[in-house]
Amino acid sequence: MFDVVPDVPLVTVIIASYNHAPYIEASINSVLRQTYPRIELLVIDDGSSDNSVALLSQLQAAHGFDLRVQANQGLSATLNAAIARARGTLIVPFGSDDIMLPHRIATQVEYLEGKPEVGVCSANIETIDHQGNVMGAREQRNRDLPFRRLDFDDLFLGRKPGPAAATLMFRREALDKVGGFDPDIRLEDIYITLSILRAGYCIDVLGEVLAQYRDHPTNTFKNGRFMVENVLKTYARFRDHPEYEAVCMRFRNSMFLKYANRDKPLARTTLRDIPLRHWNRKTVRGLWRLLASRR
């Protein structure tokens, strides 16, 4: 689709969907409405048990994008397989519950021109609810951030706000250099961005909104145990960094505080893995929440 202008880079957009029937049509339509003239759209249903396959089949018949249906393989393995058959020099994995603004692809392609050191281009996001309504100011933590260039330490040490997954555009050569996504890590965006930074590229995050991120009950980040397990598994791939232990402990302290009054078993397990020498203000605040909560 859109593959009619040979003198501009071909961009491959990959949408891997799992049980996102309420959101997938809006996601696909936002790709179809891009102003950029040369896009290859690959859609993969990864073993959905809702009515996604029937809906996707109807959309494919109407719009002619590449659709594949498979037994569940997980997002990282699915993305690797899609990248292997993608024809684009720029790769955009895109959430099946998110929405691109119409000028998103054109803006990022134009920005990347002449900047071979930038392995990934990202941008700001606007948060919407499950019905597509723009959420209030308190939920818009990544809407008004300024432009920033990230190196490995910026992201690993949390020195600057990281890139938004809903706006990632990768140079294919950068993905190839690091061997793609790791199927053993289910939180794919943190791993791949750190890997590309470690390989010597930088990530530029544009200071404008280019996508809408949908906040709904099944968002990955709302699964605390999943987040703790996979973020720490990701960090372990970079355990040779001199600040590795401190990075892990800061993350554990943040998760302990977050879940102290939401998930006491998870909070207690997390606290047991924080040695006393790594306690900080978040630990103390988390202990207060843990003791004060009746849940």
Side-chain angles (χ1 to χ4, degrees):
M1 56 167 291
F2 296 38
D3 190 2
V4 295
V5 186
D7 59 341
V8 298
L10 176 63
V11 177
T12 298
V13 177
I14 302 170
I15 299 180
S17 179
Y18 177 71
N19 287 344
H20 272 175
Y23 317 122
I24 184 67
E25 184 171 4
S27 178
I28 289 173
N29 283 339
S30 75
V31 179
L32 298 174
R33 292 169 183 157
Q34 289 297 296
T35 61
Y36 189 74
R38 198 166 183 227
I39 296 175
E40 172 188 47
L41 176 58
L42 309 181
V43 180
I44 307 97
D45 184 87
D46 190 32
S48 294
S49 57
D50 60 8
N51 66 326
S52 291
V53 173
L55 176 58
L56 288 171
S57 297
Q58 294 174 3
L59 292 170
Q60 193 278 335
H63 301 292
F65 53 80
D66 184 299
L67 172 63
R68 301 208 176 177
V69 177
Q70 64 187 31
N72 185 263
Q73 298 179 20
L75 183 53
S76 292
T78 298
L79 289 175
N80 284 339
I83 292 167
R85 60 188 176 87
R87 296 183 294 118
T89 57
L90 298 170
I91 306 294
V92 176
F94 190 60
S96 53
D97 48 355
D98 298 328
I99 296 174
M100 295 184 184
L101 298 191
H103 61 289
R104 180 241 164 124
I105 299 296
T107 299
Q108 291 182 293
V109 171
E110 180 181 7
Y111 179 81
L112 283 171
E113 184 177 358
K115 300 181 182 70
E117 74 280 8
V118 182
V120 184
C121 180
S122 181
N124 291 342
I125 56 172
E126 180 175 65
T127 303
I128 58 176
D129 64 18
H130 70 286
Q131 294 180 322
N133 302 308
V134 177
M135 299 184 73
R138 293 181 62 182
E139 287 79 19
Q140 303 297 340
R141 298 178 181 177
N142 297 289
R143 187 169 62 184
D144 302 313
L145 297 174
F147 171 88
R148 54 207 181 274
R149 170 164 286 193
L150 307 176
D151 61 24
F152 182 83
D153 280 356
D154 288 332
L155 189 57
F156 193 61
L157 303 180
R159 298 190 306 202
K160 299 176 184 178
T167 63
L168 295 175
M169 176 179 282
F170 297 89
R171 291 193 187 278
R172 186 185 191 122
E173 64 187 57
L175 288 170
D176 291 343
K177 187 171 183 178
V178 301
F181 295 86
D182 186 338
D184 292 331
I185 296 178
R186 296 171 62 197
L187 199 63
E188 74 294 333
D189 55 317
I190 297 177
Y191 168 78
I192 198 66
T193 50
L194 283 170
S195 296
I196 288 173
L197 289 171
R198 174 60 72 88
Y201 293 94
C202 62
I203 295 176
D204 281 2
V205 186
L206 308 183
E208 61 180 295
V209 172
L210 291 182
Q212 292 180 315
Y213 169 78
R214 193 183 300 271
D215 186 308
H216 57 82
T218 59
N219 289 132
T220 299
F221 81 91
K222 294 182 180 179
N223 184 334
R225 292 185 181 278
F226 175 90
M227 291 295 295
V228 170
E229 176 185 349
N230 283 279
V231 169
L232 291 174
K233 186 183 290 187
T234 298
Y235 288 164
R237 296 293 197 272
F238 309 98
R239 61 171 63 249
D240 60 330
H241 192 282
E243 296 296 316
Y244 167 69
E245 182 181 21
V247 167
C248 291
M249 293 305 160
R250 280 198 295 270
F251 173 71
R252 285 191 170 103
N253 271 302
S254 294
M255 296 302 282
F256 171 62
L257 175 61
K258 180 176 181 177
Y259 286 98
N261 58 356
R262 302 182 190 183
D263 186 338
K264 283 190 172 184
L266 174 59
R268 292 190 183 100
T269 299
T270 303
L271 180 61
R272 284 198 295 268
D273 291 330
I274 306 173
L276 189 60
R277 68 181 183 278
H278 286 290
W279 283 27
N280 58 27
R281 292 182 180 179
K282 288 185 177 180
T283 325
V284 176
R285 289 169 58 197
L287 283 168
W288 175 255
R289 288 184 183 179
L290 187 66
L291 295 171
S293 174
R294 295 181 180 180
R295 296 171 57 185

